[in-house]
Amino acid sequence: MNLSSFSIFASTTADLADKMIAQLDECEAFSQSDRLVCLQKQAKQSQLALQQAEQNAFNLLSKWDDDEQFTLLAKRKLTLSNEAFAHYRDVHCQYFKSLGGGAITNALEMRRLTCVTKLNYRQADHLGHELSDLNLKNK
């Protein structure tokens, strides 16, 4: 992937992230039990999108036109960043769930799933933008 195609990818991921987050509203049309299933599906799709963005970031770092020591360092830092994000997301979404107070269990879980989905898509978008100006080797 060359720089110009990645720039297009980065700009479309923002549109895609917004579109995918907007799809959460579609779950509101369902009954409560079906809404939970819909949100579970959305959370799973957002996790797959995040995993793809993380893999794309690693692939682009492998094509980075810089000394190998910097590539290896960036990959290690990306791994640490991904782990820290996953921890933050889980803790933050548990906090967000707790803001549902005394709501029934399904409603609390729906709050958590909505949070997870939004954060996953935003992180996937963020990963794409971070590397959009990386100088890549011509292979």
Side-chain angles (χ1 to χ4, degrees):
M1 179 181 297
N2 63 33
L3 182 58
S4 62
S5 64
F6 187 71
S7 295
I8 291 168
F9 170 78
S11 65
T12 58
T13 58
D15 298 337
L16 181 60
D18 291 341
K19 181 179 176 183
M20 297 309 291
I21 290 170
Q23 283 186 356
L24 288 170
D25 292 338
E26 294 176 9
C27 295
E28 294 298 317
F30 297 110
S31 68
Q32 188 167 9
S33 62
D34 289 339
R35 189 177 315 138
L36 179 61
V37 171
C38 179
L39 290 170
Q40 289 168 334
K41 180 181 173 185
Q42 295 286 342
K44 186 175 182 175
Q45 288 174 342
S46 73
Q47 183 61 37
L48 292 173
L50 177 58
Q51 289 170 343
Q52 182 64 51
E54 291 170 347
Q55 187 59 52
N56 287 345
F58 276 103
N59 292 344
L60 284 170
L61 287 173
S62 295
K63 297 175 183 180
W64 188 17
D65 191 16
D66 208 327
D67 291 337
E68 185 176 356
Q69 66 180 350
F70 299 118
T71 299
L72 292 174
L73 177 63
K75 286 180 176 181
R76 281 194 302 269
K77 297 296 183 178
L78 177 59
T79 297
L80 291 172
S81 175
N82 291 344
E83 291 168 359
F85 169 77
H87 177 73
Y88 162 77
R89 180 201 55 217
D90 294 345
V91 171
H92 178 76
C93 291
Q94 285 297 329
Y95 156 72
F96 188 72
K97 177 180 175 179
S98 75
L99 295 177
I104 61 172
T105 304
N106 278 355
L108 294 175
E109 181 62 5
M110 288 187 285
R111 287 181 64 82
R112 188 190 70 78
L113 290 168
T114 299
C115 176
V116 165
T117 301
K118 288 179 179 181
L119 289 179
N120 281 346
Y121 281 127
R122 289 186 179 129
Q123 180 67 3
D125 176 50
H126 187 69
L127 286 171
H129 284 291
E130 285 176 341
L131 299 175
S132 63
D133 63 348
L134 198 65
N135 187 20
L136 303 178
K137 296 174 189 173
N138 291 325
K139 289 188 176 182

